Amino acid sequence: LFSTFDYLDPVTDRGYLSDNGMNPYNDECNGTDTSLSDWTHLNSVSVGAFDNYLISVRHLSAIMSISRTTFKLLWTLSSEIDSDFTFASEASKFYDQHAVLQAENGDLMLFDNGNARTQYQGGSDFSRGLILSMDYENKVASLKTEFVGAYTDHEGSTYQLDSGNYVTCFPAGDGGDLNGWLPGGHA
């Protein structure tokens, strides 16, 4: 097994939500009221396409790829902390994501909540399903497809269906919104 502390430093690896948002929160333990900081907020683990695990580290806007056999850190992709990849454009960057998956061709699919986007890029809040084309040789992540919808500060997911279409869940408002997309646009 492995620990977050094997790969990340709570002093130097900080994202916008590491120090803002729902942090710190109070928890009662053994009769004491302790203030805690959720500096990483790991929210998904999935098996990748290359004998790896993909770990979503929401509060650092980071995705880590870890070998399934050696538990060695293979790479980190992040809009907020040191990243082994660059982004082809600002539009390729994601913030405070959920539900990261890797397609057989290596593309990454995730739900980009966008909590910290206005802190770094300005503009207005929005969330989206996001597919990144990954160039592992040159270490570049590029926007391939996005499914923009209602802003939601937490939760969300995007999945590709067997038909090749996509479904994205925006869990904002009264029960959320489930949207379907064809590869070329909204269904």
Side-chain angles (χ1 to χ4, degrees):
L1 294 176
F2 56 87
S3 166
T4 305
F5 295 100
D6 293 339
Y7 311 108
L8 299 168
D9 184 326
V11 175
T12 59
D13 293 321
R14 307 294 292 187
Y16 175 74
L17 288 185
S18 298
D19 300 310
N20 296 285
M22 297 175 280
N23 291 313
Y25 64 92
N26 291 328
D27 193 11
E28 290 186 31
C29 181
N30 296 325
T32 65
D33 188 22
T34 304
S35 180
L36 305 171
S37 177
D38 185 7
W39 65 281
T40 57
H41 196 87
L42 281 66
N43 62 21
S44 74
V45 176
S46 62
V47 176
F50 307 116
D51 199 31
N52 60 318
Y53 292 114
L54 289 176
I55 300 174
S56 173
V57 189
R58 173 176 158 79
H59 288 183
L60 303 180
S61 298
I63 300 166
M64 296 173 16
S65 177
I66 295 174
S67 167
R68 290 178 64 191
T69 54
T70 66
F71 298 113
K72 177 184 173 192
L73 178 64
L74 303 173
W75 52 259
T76 300
L77 173 66
S78 178
S79 300
E80 292 194 280
I81 64 170
D82 287 341
S83 179
D84 296 309
F85 289 78
T86 59
F87 291 90
S89 67
E90 288 295 304
S92 303
K93 293 182 177 181
F94 57 88
Y95 297 94
D96 313 303
Q97 75 288 341
H98 278 89
V100 178
L101 299 170
Q102 187 174 43
E104 288 181 15
N105 67 358
D107 287 355
L108 297 179
M109 185 170 14
L110 57 122
F111 188 82
D112 174 13
N113 290 93
N115 299 63
R117 187 181 337 279
T118 58
Q119 300 298 315
Y120 292 98
Q121 296 180 347
S124 59
D125 290 327
F126 66 91
S127 297
R128 62 187 174 164
L130 180 64
I131 300 173
L132 294 172
S133 178
M134 301 298 295
D135 179 343
Y136 292 98
E137 185 176 329
N138 296 305
K139 303 288 189 199
V140 178
S142 303
L143 173 66
K144 182 173 184 177
T145 307
E146 64 180 353
F147 312 111
V148 178
Y151 173 69
T152 176
D153 65 354
H154 65 285
E155 300 174 340
S157 57
T158 296
Y159 297 97
Q160 186 171 26
L161 305 174
D162 290 340
S163 65
N165 298 341
Y166 296 89
V167 63
T168 300
C169 177
F170 294 87
D174 297 328
D177 195 10
L178 188 64
N179 294 285
W181 277 272
L182 302 171
H186 197 275

